[in-house]
Amino acid sequence: MIEIKDLHAKVEGREILKGLNLSIQPGEVHAIMGPNGAGKSTLSAVLTGREGYEVTSGSVTFEGQDLLEMDVEDRARAGLLLGFQYPVEIPGVKNVYLLKAALNAKREAQGLPEIEAPEFMKLIREKIKFMKMDNSFLHRAVNEGFSGGEKKRNEILQMLVLEPKLALLDEIDSGLDIDAMKTVAEGVNSLRSQERSILMITHYQRLLDYIVPDVIHVLADGKIIKTGDKSLALELEEKGYDWLLEGVA
Amino acid sequence: MNQYAEAFEAFNRHAESGWLKSQRIAAFARFEHLGFPINGVEAWKYTNTKALAKRPFVLAEGYDLQAAQKLLNEAAVTLDSHQLVFVNGIFVPELSDLSSLPQALVVEPLSEALDKELELTCGMMGRLAGIDSDVFTALNFAFAGEGAVIRVGNNQVIDKPINLIHLSTASDQPQMSHPRILIAAGSSSQLQLVEQFVGDDEAVHFTNRVAEVVLERNAQLTHYLLETPGDQSWLIGRTQVEQQRDSRYGCHHMNLGGKLVRDDLVCDLNGKGASSHFSGLLFGRNKQHLDIHSLVHHNAPQTYSHENYKAILNDKAKGVFNGKVVVKKDSQQIQADQSNANLLLSDQAEIDTKPELEIYADDVKCSHGATTGQLDETALFYLKSRGLSDELARGLLTLAFANEVIDELKLAPLYKRVEESVAGHLPHQVDLEEL
Amino acid sequence: MASEEMEQLVRKEYKQGFVTDIESDTLPPGLDEDVIRHISARKNEPDWLLEWRLEAYRHWLTMKDPQAWAHLSYPEIDFQAVSYYSAPGAKNKDAPKSLDEVDPKLLETFDKLGIPLHERAALAGVAVDAVFDSVSVGTTFKDKLAEAGVIFCSISEAVQEHPELVKAYLGTVVPHTDNYYAALNSAVFTDGSFVFVPKGVTCPMELSTYFRINAANTGQFERTLIVCEEEAQVSYLEGCTAPMRDENQLHAAVVELVALDDAYIKYSTVQNWYPGDEEGKGGIYNFVTKRGDCRGDRSKISWTQVETGSAITWKYPSCILRGKDSVGEFYSVAVTNNFQQADTGTKMIHLGEGSRSTIISKGISAGRSNQSYRGLVKVLPSAKNARNFTQCDSLLLGDQCGAHTFPYQEIGNSSTQVEHEATTSKIGEDQLFYCMQRGISEEDSVNMIVNGFCKDVFKELPMEFAVEAEALLNVTLEGAVG
């Protein structure tokens, strides 16, 4: 699905990613954990093509294509979708409008015709219900006045509608109470399939109780310093990161 | 105009020839050319200077020390400070106190500075508010001879505030004064300045003061302006500030009334990271006319300005607020906000407000808000339901309205003075002692 | 010389001077009293109207161009180089004969806006008789209006058919002394619309939608007068989303609205006149005076405008809230791109007790354009318990443009509640990134966000106008980003 090789990236002249390697196969769920400042957010920014992040060397291949050469929107259309840590508010733009525009942009890229209105509404209603959201939400402006939990649920809803090949979830659990997190996790779990991969970036082990990853990586100082299965998370919870960092420094 | 020409003739005759003398002549010519802003000048749209223009004023030639002492004791705020006192424009050494000046701080009357360090002083004068500025600045320049010079060396943190007190006492003939204040704060220096205009209600005086302030890198100036020029007096003031990188200028402006008080507050944010903060109160009653015009130029990226003005107007008082923010092209990542809230306590009071934005860059966050209204009825009801009289409840709420800006007066005697003055002059008086 | 003789001489010269021109029915450039007499004579106007025009003209001569205070800069206008009369139907030799001769770029824009095929020819300035006959459509609606008692015709026609109504209301809202361009318009206005809705009648349809092609030819000094008697209601739509070609560079219209007790006038405008090319050459100068007089108690006047055109816009649709509990509204979206300049806003003058006003203004500047909001909220002592709410937001696209706000508030009443909020910001990088990360192209993302920014105003537009307005915005901002 995605192959990251020796990725180096700078932000404001400072090197944050220092040779990161990561490979995810279709159907796998990976989690990246790590202390503050390890480069977690930089990784998601680089993968999605945010401005201000300079890749100095290394490569990222997504479905056989050179991801770093692609525009932001083309990455999304190709199936790489980011669940934002802090979803932005867009006054006046209704959710339903954004969803439709995004879905049609993707369909256009795939050579499909625009979705018919009744079909679209049926799809949306179904997903909304699954995310335990109210229909009125469709006519509210994107994220405007949403609580933290609502915003995160909205991110997952977009994933359910847009069906990415690789879902990138940046701290999708931060700021959520336990119930909201369960709903979000349920949504994420329903995304799991043979064809789809998920990469979660998280700070807290708690999330991994609900979305159980196949592989866990520890990111520190711009590199993956340890990779293991879900038991690694428990170990981290118990001992913190220090025991790993000692080896690095 | 004639009276000004006469006064100017007499004033400049004694001056030594040279740069200053010729500048004064040019300034006076400029003043005569422009004339008082009577018709159609946008900056004076709401403020009428006709009565001022008609009144003949003379320069004071001496002062009554006893009357000055009395006014100082009764009406001015004195604090542990480096203090300069002027009466009707004349420096009064007897009432001033410069006994504890630290080494790296210069505080002296302008007349003295012109005697001792002519070149240096002239170099500071007119750089920011020169003869090509507006009519009152030109007039001030023409008569520039007294005022204050303040210089702080690099890295100096001055603990004691500087207290400039301009007194106006009653005289046979209406008098005028044109003080000029020159301030240069070295890099990373810190300074507090209190400037007070205190007038006897019997005095008929016209104060036309200009201040030029230069803040070097990372310098910080907190400027407290307290204005009570007296019921029959005019006060026109211009404060022109130039700020270098990371410097901070804070102006706490308490305009508590006079016949006509007009302030122009102008900041040029010329270096990255520079910020200005204005907070002020216009408190008017009777037929007072209070006018504040502020202007901030964001000339460099990452500069910040914040402005919060409140007006409380009673009787037939009139208030004018004009705040303007200009963001120059290529000055990116700017934050500027302005807020102006007004409380009209009488049907005949009037407020004219215009918060302006002029923006030529795109990466900006600017906002302004202006509101005019009355006391919150639900709050009033709440207080009364707790047993407060209507009068006290109204007084308290009015005071509360002003509190946001009064609270920023970090010098206790100043805070106390302003709070008492506001509370004591409310239509629904609040006796602070009792509370 | 006796005055009689003098008059004859003047007349004679005037006749001679215009003989050749009467054939072509277009006056040569220039403005003096004779030109005004000529216009009035050609339109067969009553004496009082000629006098009214002349008085305005004489006053105009004493006035100054408002450039001094508006945030605009343009070369001085030579009023003697303008031709002040061209009879309707006068043919322009250079006009394209069919759509095939029209600039393909213009046709492309029509496509994007979804302008109906039959309207395109007229909008592109194809000679009128080559266009389909819209008269039959027009007549059907005219019958329906007549049945309801609504008068809707050109102001010239109204002068002939309903002189007493015109005389009673013309110039009572915008006197010729009001401003430079209102004075000029009063002197030389050529045509415009007249609407009269009698007491208790709700106009059965939105006016002007079906007539907009005809209205397109009313000329550069348009004069519109709309009167609603007690409890009457009308919704009037002006303009058109299509970019109109016009040889007249100077436009100075006056619109007057009068609402009596409990009347409601809704006036919507979509204006998209030629803004000049990408280098800022050419384009219309638009100096408009629009004012509504809420004369009656509980009367209401609502202005909604979407402005994307013109090189220079100078326009402040206003309300005089005279009636008790009267209501004034102003909803505006102004978009400027390339080298356009706009100084626009509103005035709300509160005189009546309990009068209320709302101002929502959204300005979008792109390219190298400059835009100013200039507004006045004035509350007089008589307007007890008056209320105003103003929200005035500017959005900047690109770092070469300017956005300015000059909101005046003059409050002379302590029972007033006036609130003003304004923000200026650039289009959020975060918002753009968010949309693009959902696969939406940059241009579509910008359009989406800008349309969202304008929602509060678009929702005030009649439905079909709103749809067109959104499309218009997108076309106007083409190439503004990236």
Side-chain angles (χ1 to χ4, degrees), chain A residues 55-238:
Chain A
V55 175
T56 47
S57 67
S59 67
V60 181
T61 315
F62 179 64
E63 292 268 283
Q65 282 179 283
D66 182 354
L67 187 75
L68 300 176
E69 282 299 306
M70 294 162 79
D71 287 337
V72 176
E73 60 267 43
D74 291 333
R75 296 182 197 201
R77 288 170 192 172
L80 173 69
L81 220 53
L82 169 67
F84 285 80
Q85 184 178 4
Y86 303 110
V88 67
E89 302 190 356
I90 312 178
V93 176
K94 287 178 184 175
N95 274 300
V96 65
Y97 192 15
L98 174 75
L99 283 169
K100 199 169 173 190
L103 185 57
N104 280 331
K106 181 185 158 202
R107 290 174 66 104
E108 198 192 327
Q110 294 172 336
L112 295 170
E114 288 197 358
I115 190 167
E116 298 283 334
E119 196 191 333
F120 175 71
M121 287 316 291
K122 190 169 157 260
L123 173 77
I124 298 290
R125 293 238 162 81
E126 185 190 307
K127 304 298 184 192
I128 282 202
K129 207 169 151 197
F130 185 81
M131 287 310 292
K132 302 191 173 72
M133 294 164 91
D134 193 89
N135 271 337
S136 68
F137 146 87
L138 285 174
H139 296 282
R140 287 166 65 187
V142 176
N143 294 323
E144 197 180 33
F146 283 25
S147 68
E150 280 178 322
K151 282 184 182 168
K152 294 296 168 71
R153 269 192 271 178
N154 192 18
E155 294 297 291
I156 303 303
L157 175 78
Q158 291 178 9
M159 299 258 170
L160 293 176
V161 172
L162 298 174
E163 303 186 306
K165 291 193 178 120
L166 172 63
L168 189 55
L169 306 175
D170 193 358
E171 308 265 347
I172 198 73
D173 55 330
S174 64
L176 295 190
D177 63 34
I178 192 76
D179 289 334
M181 195 183 72
K182 278 183 189 164
T183 312
V184 166
E186 232 173 275
V188 173
N189 283 328
S190 79
L191 280 169
R192 297 180 92 144
S193 82
Q194 286 304 310
E195 298 79 41
R196 182 172 295 131
S197 314
I198 296 172
L199 176 59
M200 294 185 283
I201 293 172
T202 181
H203 208 75
Y204 307 106
Q205 186 269 335
R206 183 184 71 162
L207 178 72
L208 306 184
D209 291 342
Y210 295 89
I211 309 171
V212 182
D214 302 311
V215 185
I216 292 178
H217 309 273
V218 177
L219 178 65
D221 195 29
K223 281 189 209 133
I224 303 277
I225 54 165
K226 189 158 179 73
T227 297
D229 61 12
K230 59 187 177 191
S231 63
L232 181 58
L234 294 171
E235 207 170 340
L236 288 170
E237 180 78 358
E238 241 170 72

Side-chain angles (χ1 to χ4, degrees), chain B residues 258-280:
Chain B
K259 184 182 178 67
L260 185 155
V261 182
R262 158 69 177 251
D263 280 279
D264 278 89
L265 208 51
V266 185
C267 260
D268 275 276
L269 302 173
N270 290 349
K272 208 167 145 179
S275 66
S276 70
H277 176 110
F278 302 158
S279 70

Side-chain angles (χ1 to χ4, degrees), chain B residues 36-320:
Chain B
F36 282 95
I38 289 179
N39 287 316
V41 180
E42 176 70 18
W44 293 85
K45 184 179 163 90
Y46 298 113
T47 297
N48 190 332
T49 54
K50 256 186 213 162
L52 174 66
K54 266 195 261 167
R55 208 71 191 241
F57 296 100
V58 297
L59 290 170
E61 281 168 357
Y63 54 85
D64 175 346
L65 185 60
Q66 252 186 328
Q69 177 82 62
K70 186 163 178 272
L71 188 62
L72 180 69
N73 293 347
E74 284 172 3
V77 179
T78 48
L79 18 86
D80 182 17
S81 63
H82 310 294
Q83 179 170 300
L84 287 186
V85 176
F86 305 87
V87 178
N88 303 335
I90 302 174
F91 175 60
V92 187
E94 296 91 330
L95 302 178
S96 301
D97 177 9
L98 296 174
S99 56
S100 58
L101 278 184
Q103 193 105 73
L105 174 66
V106 173
V107 178
E108 57 193 0
L110 178 63
S111 51
E112 213 167 282
L114 286 171
D115 277 346
K116 288 199 310 209
E117 295 151 317
L118 181 68
E119 216 164 300
L120 181 68
T121 312
C122 287
M124 292 169 79
M125 202 148 114
R127 198 160 85 72
L128 305 180
I131 49 178
D132 52 355
S133 188
D134 78 320
V135 56
F136 290 104
T137 306
L139 181 64
N140 172 288
F141 207 131
F143 287 99
E146 194 51 283
V149 175
I150 298 166
R151 291 200 308 269
V152 196
N154 294 350
N155 304 314
Q156 298 299 315
V157 177
I158 309 299
D159 295 326
K160 261 200 220 178
I162 295 164
N163 196 358
L164 301 183
I165 304 174
H166 306 265
L167 302 172
S168 45
T169 53
S171 51
D172 299 339
Q173 258 187 301
Q175 291 180 335
M176 62 176 171
S177 55
H178 302 274
R180 188 165 280 247
I181 316 297
L182 305 172
I183 299 172
S187 64
S188 298
S189 63
Q190 264 184 53
L191 187 67
Q192 299 175 78
L193 171 68
V194 182
E195 228 185 318
Q196 302 180 60
F197 298 86
V198 181
D200 190 324
D201 280 339
E202 303 301 314
V204 180
H205 194 86
F206 167 33
T207 306
N208 176 32
R209 160 256 188 215
V210 172
E212 298 180 73
V213 181
V214 178
L215 302 183
E216 297 296 342
R217 282 180 76 137
N218 204 35
Q220 186 182 347
L221 173 64
T222 309
H223 191 174
Y224 298 99
L225 264 176
L226 177 59
E227 299 171 334
T228 50
D231 281 347
Q232 302 186 65
S233 290
W234 286 265
L235 169 59
I236 291 183
R238 169 174 291 272
T239 306
Q240 194 85 35
V241 186
E242 183 186 270
Q243 292 186 246
Q244 298 307 329
R245 200 183 163 131
D246 298 323
S247 62
R248 282 148 292 162
Y249 174 70
C251 184
H252 306 279
H253 176 200
M254 301 289 126
N255 179 347
L256 305 183
K259 184 182 178 67
L260 185 155
V261 182
R262 158 69 177 251
D263 280 279
D264 278 89
L265 208 51
V266 185
C267 260
D268 275 276
L269 302 173
N270 290 349
K272 208 167 145 179
S275 66
S276 70
H277 176 110
F278 302 158
S279 70
L281 174 66
L282 306 181
F283 184 74
R285 54 196 195 283
N286 302 329
K287 288 173 82 175
Q288 294 174 339
H289 184 106
L290 313 180
D291 178 350
I292 167 73
H293 271 60
S294 72
L295 172 60
V296 180
H297 287 283
H298 288 266
N299 297 331
Q302 289 171 28
T303 46
Y304 313 98
S305 67
H306 170 81
E307 179 164 12
N308 184 13
Y309 262 87
K310 305 252 181 183
I312 300 173
L313 300 164
N314 194 17
D315 306 323
K316 290 182 171 175
K318 187 170 168 175
V320 179

